[in-house]
Amino acid sequence: MITTGVRWAESAKRRKNRGIYEKQSADISRRITISNDNDDTQRLFENCRLQAKRVCNPIVDWTDGDVWDYIRSEHIPVNPLYERGFHRVGCIGCPLAGRAGRQFEFGRYPTYRRAYLHAFEHMLAERRRRNLPAVW
């Protein structure tokens, strides 16, 4: 049994988007879609055939307010970035966060921006060394 913190309200944009991975095919039986974790079809209990496990999403229908009410009622410490204007806390510069989010984070934390660009340049150099295309 796997228990998650997946919530429908976590991100309306992500919830409304299509799957996070799709493989198209003319043959419908060969199409593959892996849904994002905020898909509005998530249920309280699900089966994960990929990992052969049962999944429980106990707070799937909680709103942001429900989460904050619970945090306050139980006196749960939270990441201090929430007090500094962040609405979500994840990886600085996450490509999935959107351009505006990355620009905000990299503006606030320029050392991470430099490290991200350095790592990306290193990856491109390695792909060139292996005679692989820069974009796949």
Side-chain angles (χ1 to χ4, degrees):
M1 177 67 96
I2 298 170
T3 302
T4 76
V6 170
R7 295 184 307 112
W8 296 325
E10 202 169 13
S11 170
K13 182 179 177 184
R14 281 175 37 201
R15 183 176 67 238
K16 291 177 184 173
N17 281 346
R18 293 166 39 181
I20 58 172
Y21 172 78
E22 295 186 17
K23 179 179 179 257
Q24 297 297 326
S25 173
D27 179 355
I28 293 174
S29 67
R30 296 179 56 99
R31 291 182 186 172
I32 298 172
T33 301
I34 299 175
S35 298
N36 70 40
D37 63 357
N38 293 337
D39 190 331
D40 59 6
T41 63
Q42 296 284 141
R43 297 182 310 258
L44 181 58
F45 290 101
E46 300 177 307
N47 290 313
C48 176
R49 292 186 180 142
L50 186 64
Q51 295 184 7
K53 297 187 182 198
R54 294 268 296 152
V55 179
C56 178
N57 304 311
I59 63 171
V60 73
D61 59 349
W62 284 26
T63 65
D64 291 350
D66 293 333
V67 172
W68 286 107
D69 287 346
Y70 182 78
I71 288 169
R72 284 188 286 277
S73 74
E74 298 299 317
H75 309 287
I76 299 170
V78 298
N79 188 311
L81 290 175
Y82 288 112
E83 296 170 6
R84 295 187 182 124
F86 286 80
H87 300 286
R88 293 181 60 86
V89 177
C91 301
I92 294 172
C94 176
L96 300 177
R99 185 176 183 182
R102 275 193 311 281
Q103 288 177 334
F104 172 74
E105 293 165 354
F106 285 153
R108 188 172 200 136
Y109 303 104
T111 303
Y112 282 93
R113 180 182 183 277
R114 287 190 297 274
Y116 187 94
L117 291 173
H118 176 75
F120 197 82
E121 288 166 2
H122 180 75
M123 182 269 305
L124 290 175
E126 181 63 19
R127 291 189 66 80
R128 283 191 294 272
R129 189 186 71 74
R130 295 181 187 187
N131 293 317
L132 296 170
V135 179
W136 53 93

